[in-house]
Amino acid sequence: MNSTNHESPDRPRVLVSGAGISGLTTAYWLDRHGFDVTVVEVAPRPRPGGHAVDVRGPALEVAERMGVAAALRDRATRLAGIAVVDSSGRETFRSTTGTLTSGRLDSPDVEVLRDDLCRVLRDAVGDRVEHLFGDSVTSLVQDGSGVDVAFATAAPRRFEVVVGADGVGSGVRRTAFGPDERFVREFGDLHVAVFSMPNFLGLERWEVVYQREDPFIGALVMGLSADEPARAYLGFSAPEAVGDVRDVDGQKRLLADRVADGGWVVPRIVEHMMDADDFHFYRLSQVRVDGWSRGRVVLVGDAGYAVSLGTGQATSVGMVGAYVLAGELAAHRDDLPRGLAAYEDALRDYAVRNQDIALELNSAPRDAADDDLPDFGSLTLPFALKDYAVR
């Protein structure tokens, strides 16, 4: 491998692994601070689908500083309410003040579909940042001045810093820090899939939720327009391990089997799930890492401190973390490892407090009842953003 030092004090080279929310936010700010940025993404193209996510509190300030807040509001879900139904489809509860995914509807925060948020961030990044789609990091070899990186497809390169922004199952973390079992902590027993499907319920800016207990099976369908696909969540509880099923087809079969007698329109949802090309399946978990950097390799967002469901803060924590990481590297351009340490010093308490709140809330399952709809705004922690100088 070529280990020539290409470090430039003007434009240090940084590799960001992962083209999701944290990765794109990191890439944007690193570019603005004068770094030479490459983003590598294992998917062959920008990933479709995903949750409805929330941009709240300090993350909204990050979006404002990026100039994308207006675009996010244009793409906001703007839900009008939620209905809960029983197995026959009879409505048992309705609210026009909040939903399970966005919390209170009078909040100043923004709920947006994950793929819409990533599209806005990609537009903000523009063509100044190199993207390597359909590729991944296979090895990382460090010395005192940089990291030699081998890729599955691209030729080897050298970077001054490598950022793992590749989610809960981070390959960068696995390579530089150790196996997943040291850092990924499952909590609760909820397994969830999210995917797009035809909006056969004809929902307009509306959510419908169905839950069956003992054992738990749940479905949530969000429709923004009757003429556009709906976003569906389908889940079950299983205290025991369900097996290490990594292929999408196997995950779909597992989920279909677990919810086979779910009631309501669950069988029809399952039929559409089998055809979904944006299927994502996971068990509720957090990532806890003691020390977010190893030499010149650093973690940001879910790869280093996944919050998980329960507080509506995961996206915001990731965006704030990306802003701080890029800013501290810029502030310590002449000593990048010191910048990585300053990033963790600035952010760790904020990230861990968000994780602890999520653990507390997930220990008390929430029902979709009027006084139990989440108020995510009340859970948003303050964070004072520094004004990092932009080149």
Side-chain angles (χ1 to χ4, degrees), residues 160-176:
E160 279 67 69
V161 173
V162 173
V163 178
D166 43 353
V168 173
S170 170
V172 166
R173 188 188 64 236
R174 198 175 304 118
T175 300

Side-chain angles (χ1 to χ4, degrees), residues 270-323:
V270 168
E271 288 180 11
H272 291 300
M273 176 193 73
M274 303 305 289
D275 296 327
D277 61 3
D278 60 355
F279 176 89
H280 178 58
F281 177 73
Y282 63 95
R283 182 173 182 172
L284 259 62
S285 59
Q286 288 187 340
V287 174
R288 301 263 184 159
V289 182
D290 293 329
W292 296 339
S293 61
R294 298 288 188 271
R296 288 172 174 253
V297 179
V298 65
L299 305 174
V300 67
D302 283 354
Y305 36 89
V307 176
S308 194
L309 298 179
T311 65
Q313 310 299 329
T315 292
S316 296
V317 172
M319 290 182 67
V320 170
Y323 175 86

